[in-house]
Amino acid sequence: MAASPEMAAFIAAEDELLNRAVYPLNWPHEAPDRPFSTDDAHRAMQRHAGCPANACARKRAAQKVLVDAGHVVPDPRNSRNLG
């Protein structure tokens, strides 16, 4: 599912503020320093919709929060579900 136009605009504005000379290359995809709230997890999932979960620690952390909260139900046919 694609991000809403409002979320896409928010992400674009936030990206403009990032000084790429200061932040490490993988910064936006690292695991968060503290657990996500469910709202933060939803935003992270939208922001990282194009990232494969096995390569993006931030998306994995958000997905785990949403699964634990019952907001996302993993497909039982997928052998790579969150444990």
Side-chain angles (χ1 to χ4, degrees):
M1 174 165 76
S4 69
E6 295 83 14
M7 181 55 67
F10 174 79
I11 290 169
E14 189 178 67
D15 282 348
E16 288 295 317
L17 296 174
L18 290 177
N19 180 345
R20 297 293 177 191
V22 174
Y23 293 107
L25 179 62
N26 291 331
W27 172 73
H29 304 283
E30 291 176 352
D33 340 358
R34 56 183 166 60
F36 282 129
S37 68
T38 54
D39 286 341
D40 290 339
H42 279 291
R43 281 190 286 277
M45 287 295 285
Q46 289 175 334
R47 181 176 184 91
H48 295 272
C51 298
N54 63 346
C56 181
R58 199 159 202 89
K59 183 172 185 173
R60 273 194 315 278
Q63 189 174 25
K64 181 167 181 1
V65 167
L66 296 176
V67 168
D68 291 348
H71 291 236
V72 170
V73 178
D75 184 345
R77 299 170 294 179
N78 181 353
S79 63
R80 292 182 283 174
N81 282 331
L82 295 173

